[in-house]
Amino acid sequence: MLALLTLLLAAPSGPPTLKQIMQDPDWMALAPRQAWWSDDGQEIFFRRDRPDGVTDEIVRLDPATGGQSVLTDAERTTINRPGGDWDTARTRRVHTHDGDLFLSDVTTGQVIRLTNTATSEYRPRFMAGDESIQFQRHGRTVVRNLATGAEFEPRWIVFQDEEEDDKKDTSDFMTDQQQRLFETLRKREEQSDTREAWSDAIDEADPRRRPEDVRLGSGRNARLIEFSPAGRWLILSTGSGRRSGEQDTMPRFVTDSGYVGTQRVRSMVGVPKRTTETLLLVDLDSGTFHKLDHSVLPTIRTDPLAWLDQDAAANDNATAAPEADNQNATEDGPTRAIRYTALEWSPDGERLVIQARSQDNKDRWIAEVDLASDPPSLEPIHHLYDEAWIGRSFNGMDWMNDGSALWFQSEESGWGHVYAWDPETDEVTALTNGPWEARSVREGPGDGLLWFTTGRERPVVRDVHVVDPATGEIRQVTSLDRSVDSFSLSPAGDRLLMRVSSATHPPEIVIQDVQADGAPHWLTESRTPEYLSTPLVEPRIVRIPSPHGADLWAKLYLPPDPADGPRPAVVFIHGAGYLQNADNQWSNYAREALFNMHLARQGYVVLDLDYRASSGYGRDFRAAIYRNMGTPEVEDLAVAIDWLATNHDVDPARVGAYGGSYGGFVVLMAMFTEPGLLACGAALRPVTDWAHYNDSYTRPILNTPERDPEAYRVSSPIEHAEGLDGALLICHGMVDDNVLFKDSVRLAQRLIELEKVDWEVAMYPVEPHGFREDSSWLDEYRRIDELFRENLLED
């Protein structure tokens, strides 16, 4: 405490220089990146970077005193690691370390090494009854009896056709003649057949022999596979799911050899051919398997994009999607391609629930496998349809520890909430509801409650909440006025271990009793003396009314000195699209946050905006960009600039913007499609043509270029480059295997042919998508700083 007080009282140094800002953010704090409880709940461990910025270290933390000690290399190998699986009584935990299995016993404090092999063992779990565990080795399921140590593989699942007789029929004139003429050859053949039959009979009579393989046919492979805790069934999804197709090539100009190298990179959107997966249920007792019929899933035979084909036939371009009718399924039409995303056995192994989604991203299904029917069949539980696309968040599901219900997440209400399915009544109940999102859902140890984080009052601050599935009662557990980045409950379930941060304070370790009156205890202070003595421009979190639906949230950095007339402004536009950055949480954009403060000190009003497509604000907010990327975001940028002009004396003619990746894309769309909105902009590693981006991100939002070319024409900056208005800076790493450098090269050629002026491209030969070298960061942001000074500041 005395050391911290000394740091806080230290005379503040001047504002950081641009070179200091662009250093590795470790100069600000060596913050905890991961934290977990010891199995007995008496200690906490957390991981953080070492001061060298290259390696990391694990720290032991005493939750009672806050005392810390860095583990030695030897000690790192002996502590328990997070993850694994607890037995029913929560006295034993099976887990992995360095590819081997370990069993921790809380009652004795012992940690028993179960395997010591060169082969990697992973995904250990207790079987029903807790006498045995199952795990994976070489992609196969292995069962181990904890008392005897005996191991066995239930059955081998082999992707081959039925085994053929090694003796192929080679009967022809010559072989028939040999058998007819030479008795010795006939006798040897008969003896061979007798020995083989005798060996097969012995194998059949041996009660200890390994069960025969289950052959599922050639040409397929397993993607998901789950073994029943009761030991009888095995469920697996098979098929390629998607094929990469033709891949692009990326050159590397700066190499160790001095020669130009090349690297194969991802294929482009629409190129991977997505095929359907098959769900197979294997009866390990009999060695038989059943192909589960997914045609029973609601609307599986309906093509929600059929209207695109109809419009294309009638009119070469489709400009707007009519309200899709996803209920007119035909009885005999083909089923759509699907992909299985979860296979969940109940703790006793008597029930099985699966989750699947359509490869066109419009539908998600949860269904039970009826193990008692003949043949086993799928019984739908929940169907989620979205005419835009099913989001990547809010798809978690799991059984309650006692097997009484299945909880799952859904955006059915327009917000990500938690639901419960009762297998006895077949009823689905919404456990949470309202204009907010429940994230990081998990069941507490032995309490039968579901824990999650949310900002119920304000979406920009997340606290821990708990809901009782039996009553639906929701209780807020923490009130920290900042965000809980992650949390876990102690093994006894009586304390919360959290990583907590704010917009200007990196994550710290905080614990709190789970009772309503529990007070938080801050156990770490990870900020460096250099950062503590740095004067900061604290951002305000503001809410901006919008005529386009939900209001916008942003971080506002105001200049410390009073204004002398209208002021210039800069808008920072975050990347990723679906990401929340205008919240009271330490951001991955630590350098950018300090750069925003740097700009504010120069007299700019700076706004860090969560535009439509950002996360944290509900389904309609994220899906507003469907088939029309760039337009809602630019509309939100215009609303934000008007708000700045009205409320903070900003000169709308002197506004610039910068952002990377998706943020760079938005900068380009603003400067190409909305003349006069921005005086200048810096587009860093920007997507310039969505037809050249990857499949998994782009296809849900824009469909495919072949089927929906208008969506790509409307949404791609290169299609609007003739509208460039203002000074444009493009910065791009040349070994970026996410947004390929080719994106900026193609746009540069387009601007050259359009005879555009007042634009430039800065290239970084050794940088990937996220820059790694301090020198590259500094060069990039010097250029951005100069761009704003030249175009926004008055002489």
Side-chain angles (χ1 to χ4, degrees):
M1 181 61 71
L2 181 60
L4 174 59
L5 184 60
T6 302
L7 292 174
L8 292 174
L9 293 176
S13 62
T17 63
L18 199 56
K19 184 173 182 177
Q20 183 180 6
I21 289 172
M22 295 305 149
Q23 295 179 86
D24 188 294
D26 279 354
W27 77 267
M28 305 179 212
L30 295 174
R33 290 191 282 110
Q34 182 189 28
W36 65 97
W37 292 98
S38 63
D39 285 340
D40 60 7
Q42 299 303 306
E43 294 178 317
I44 293 170
F45 300 100
F46 68 87
R47 188 187 301 274
R48 69 184 177 196
D49 290 342
R50 292 184 190 270
D52 61 19
V54 178
T55 57
D56 69 3
E57 60 190 10
I58 296 177
V59 180
R60 178 185 283 111
L61 177 62
D62 186 331
T65 66
Q68 299 182 19
S69 60
V70 177
L71 300 185
T72 65
D73 291 343
E75 288 174 326
R76 286 178 67 132
T77 66
T78 61
I79 64 167
N80 70 284
R81 300 301 176 98
D85 188 44
W86 288 88
D87 65 6
T88 305
R90 296 192 66 82
T91 59
R92 295 178 299 170
R93 185 175 67 94
V94 61
H95 52 99
T96 61
H97 175 63
D98 198 24
D100 285 314
L101 300 178
F102 292 81
L103 183 70
S104 300
D105 190 322
V106 177
T107 58
T108 64
Q110 285 187 307
V111 179
I112 302 171
R113 188 180 197 124
L114 299 180
T115 63
N116 190 0
T117 66
T119 302
S120 178
E121 289 99 14
Y122 54 97
R123 292 189 66 206
R125 284 165 295 166
F126 280 93
M127 300 285 287
D130 296 333
E131 296 179 358
S132 300
I133 61 169
Q134 59 166 292
F135 59 92
Q136 297 289 306
R137 176 189 287 152
H138 282 310
R140 300 182 183 277
T141 299
V142 180
V143 176
R144 178 187 180 106
N145 185 291
L146 292 174
T148 66
E151 292 183 359
F152 73 95
E153 295 182 18
R155 281 184 191 265
W156 284 9
I157 305 300
V158 181
F159 287 93
Q160 295 176 358
D161 295 321
E162 287 300 318
E163 194 170 15
E164 297 179 1
D165 193 336
D166 291 335
K167 296 181 179 179
K168 305 201 181 300
D169 184 7
T170 58
S171 178
D172 56 24
F173 173 81
M174 297 293 289
T175 55
D176 289 346
Q177 183 188 52
Q178 295 293 92
Q179 292 286 320
R180 176 171 56 81
L181 293 178
F182 303 106
E183 182 179 358
T184 300
L185 295 180
R186 290 198 306 275
K187 184 184 297 183
R188 288 178 179 176
E189 179 73 14
E190 291 170 356
Q191 290 173 344
S192 175
D193 290 345
T194 299
R195 281 193 296 268
E196 183 174 341
W198 174 70
S199 178
D200 289 345
I202 291 177
D203 286 344
E204 289 290 333
D206 185 357
R208 299 168 299 176
R209 69 189 179 94
R210 185 177 62 80
E212 293 182 358
D213 300 344
V214 178
R215 296 178 177 269
L216 302 178
S218 60
R220 303 187 73 82
N221 63 310
R223 200 179 63 79
L224 297 178
I225 183 167
E226 294 292 342
F227 181 44
S228 164
R232 176 180 175 184
W233 303 96
L234 188 143
I235 184 79
L236 67 161
S237 65
T238 71
S240 58
R242 66 182 70 175
R243 296 174 184 170
S244 62
E246 184 178 357
Q247 293 177 278
D248 216 330
T249 302
M250 180 179 70
R252 289 179 174 269
F253 291 96
V254 181
T255 63
D256 292 336
S257 69
Y259 290 90
V260 176
T262 59
Q263 175 185 337
R264 300 291 287 175
V265 291
R266 56 160 176 79
S267 55
M268 290 181 277
V269 61
V271 173
K273 303 307 178 186
R274 298 188 175 191
T275 58
T276 198
E277 293 184 350
T278 299
L279 195 61
L280 300 176
L281 181 69
V282 180
D283 186 335
L284 297 173
D285 288 348
S286 65
T288 59
F289 65 90
H290 310 275
K291 178 181 176 181
L292 294 168
D293 180 12
H294 66 253
S295 68
V296 301
L297 299 176
T299 73
I300 188 66
R301 297 185 188 276
T302 301
D303 181 0
L305 293 174
W307 65 269
L308 272 176
D309 304 329
Q310 296 164 2
D311 280 7
N315 184 3
D316 288 340
N317 291 306
T319 58
E323 185 174 352
D325 181 2
N326 201 38
Q327 306 304 318
N328 297 328
T330 60
E331 293 292 335
D332 54 358
T335 60
R336 282 182 287 152
I338 65 173
R339 186 170 188 255
Y340 293 94
T341 54
L343 312 172
E344 298 288 350
W345 289 99
S346 61
D348 61 7
E350 299 300 321
R351 290 184 178 272
L352 170 64
V353 171
I354 64 95
Q355 185 180 120
R357 62 187 296 159
S358 58
Q359 296 278 29
D360 58 28
N361 305 293
K362 308 295 183 186
D363 294 81
R364 189 201 71 182
W365 299 274
I366 298 174
E368 182 183 20
V369 178
D370 186 347
L371 301 172
S373 63
D374 188 17
S377 60
L378 292 176
E379 299 291 337
I381 294 172
H382 184 264
H383 174 217
L384 178 64
Y385 166 72
D386 196 312
E387 64 182 359
W389 77 96
I390 304 294
R392 285 178 284 180
S393 301
F394 311 112
N395 292 296
M397 74 173 193
D398 200 359
W399 287 92
M400 300 295 291
N401 291 333
D402 62 3
S404 62
L406 178 93
W407 67 261
F408 63 90
Q409 294 174 281
S410 174
E411 277 188 308
E412 182 177 26
S413 68
W415 298 82
H417 281 296
V418 187
Y419 296 76
W421 172 66
D422 186 330
E424 298 302 325
T425 64
D426 200 32
E427 292 183 355
V428 172
T429 304
L431 300 180
T432 64
N433 61 80
W436 47 273
E437 298 177 337
R439 294 180 175 272
S440 304
V441 184
R442 68 202 62 177
E443 183 179 0
D447 62 6
L449 305 177
L450 292 174
W451 297 73
F452 58 93
T453 61
T454 187
R456 291 180 72 186
E457 303 302 325
R458 302 172 68 216
V460 293
V461 177
R462 283 180 293 281
D463 276 296
V464 177
H465 291 65
V466 64
V467 61
D468 186 341
T471 65
E473 179 186 358
I474 299 175
R475 177 170 65 89
Q476 182 171 335
V477 180
T478 64
S479 297
L480 298 169
D481 196 30
R482 56 189 67 200
S483 287
V484 176
D485 298 353
S486 64
F487 75 93
S488 64
L489 285 150
S490 63
D494 58 344
R495 288 175 294 172
L496 276 171
L497 167 63
M498 300 172 283
R499 290 171 61 250
V500 179
S501 71
S502 73
T504 57
H505 194 144
E508 305 289 2
I509 301 295
V510 180
I511 62 171
Q512 178 177 323
D513 290 345
V514 302
Q515 301 303 316
D517 57 352
H521 297 283
W522 295 74
L523 297 180
T524 61
E525 171 53 73
S526 58
R527 291 173 294 179
T528 65
E530 192 174 11
Y531 182 69
L532 281 166
S533 64
T534 298
L536 303 177
V537 178
E538 291 282 347
R540 306 179 189 178
I541 298 179
V542 296
R543 186 173 188 167
I544 302 173
S546 171
H548 303 297
D551 292 343
L552 307 174
W553 290 84
K555 289 176 185 169
L556 177 67
Y557 299 81
L558 293 176
D561 298 326
D564 182 15
R567 298 182 288 194
V570 171
V571 181
F572 170 64
I573 305 174
H574 67 72
Y578 192 65
L579 178 147
Q580 187 176 17
N581 202 52
D583 51 4
N584 194 20
Q585 180 181 30
W586 186 254
S587 171
N588 288 329
Y589 294 106
R591 289 183 175 96
E592 289 82 350
L594 286 182
F595 183 67
N596 291 340
M597 298 178 194
H598 167 78
L599 293 173
R601 292 190 190 96
Q602 297 181 63
Y604 302 93
V605 175
V606 183
L607 196 72
D608 180 347
L609 178 68
D610 275 350
Y611 47 85
R612 275 175 291 173
S614 300
S615 65
Y617 309 103
R619 177 266 173 202
D620 291 348
F621 200 85
R622 85 165 162 80
I625 61 172
Y626 178 57
R627 299 190 67 246
N628 195 22
M629 297 170 78
T631 298
E633 302 94 311
V634 173
E635 290 175 346
D636 293 344
L637 179 58
V639 168
I641 293 173
D642 286 344
W643 182 84
L644 288 173
T646 301
N647 294 275
H648 293 282
D649 199 21
V650 163
D651 180 356
R654 291 191 293 145
V655 177
Y658 79 102
S661 194
Y662 198 99
F665 152 73
V666 175
V667 169
L668 292 179
M669 289 296 282
M671 299 188 70
F672 291 174
T673 66
E674 195 65 32
L677 183 63
L678 297 176
C680 60
L684 321 177
R685 55 196 181 277
V687 175
T688 67
D689 188 343
W690 287 108
H692 285 250
Y693 197 53
N694 70 39
D695 191 78
S696 61
Y697 184 94
T698 317
R699 184 192 293 242
I701 306 173
L702 298 180
N703 305 313
T704 62
E706 293 76 18
R707 200 168 192 190
D708 200 353
E710 179 66 12
Y712 285 81
R713 189 197 67 77
V714 170
S715 302
S716 296
I718 200 168
E719 299 280 0
H720 308 282
E722 68 279 0
L724 173 60
D725 183 54
L728 172 62
L729 168 67
I730 301 170
C731 300
H732 211 137
M734 294 178 68
V735 289
D736 186 339
D737 59 1
N738 182 358
V739 181
L740 305 182
F741 180 59
K742 179 183 70 172
D743 263 50
S744 289
V745 173
R746 293 178 71 242
L747 179 60
Q749 180 61 27
R750 179 70 176 142
L751 293 172
I752 291 169
E753 294 181 4
L754 289 169
E755 300 180 2
K756 293 295 180 180
V757 296
D758 206 11
W759 64 274
E760 63 177 341
V761 177
M763 57 187 181
Y764 297 85
V766 300
E767 293 297 353
H769 193 62
F771 282 14
R772 295 174 180 170
E773 304 300 326
D774 294 354
S775 56
S776 299
W777 278 98
L778 178 59
D779 182 88
E780 181 178 50
Y781 276 81
R782 276 178 176 164
R783 294 173 186 270
I784 299 170
D785 200 28
E786 183 66 25
L787 175 76
F788 292 153
R789 280 202 305 270
E790 290 182 354
N791 292 277
L792 303 180
L793 292 181
E794 295 179 334
D795 295 333

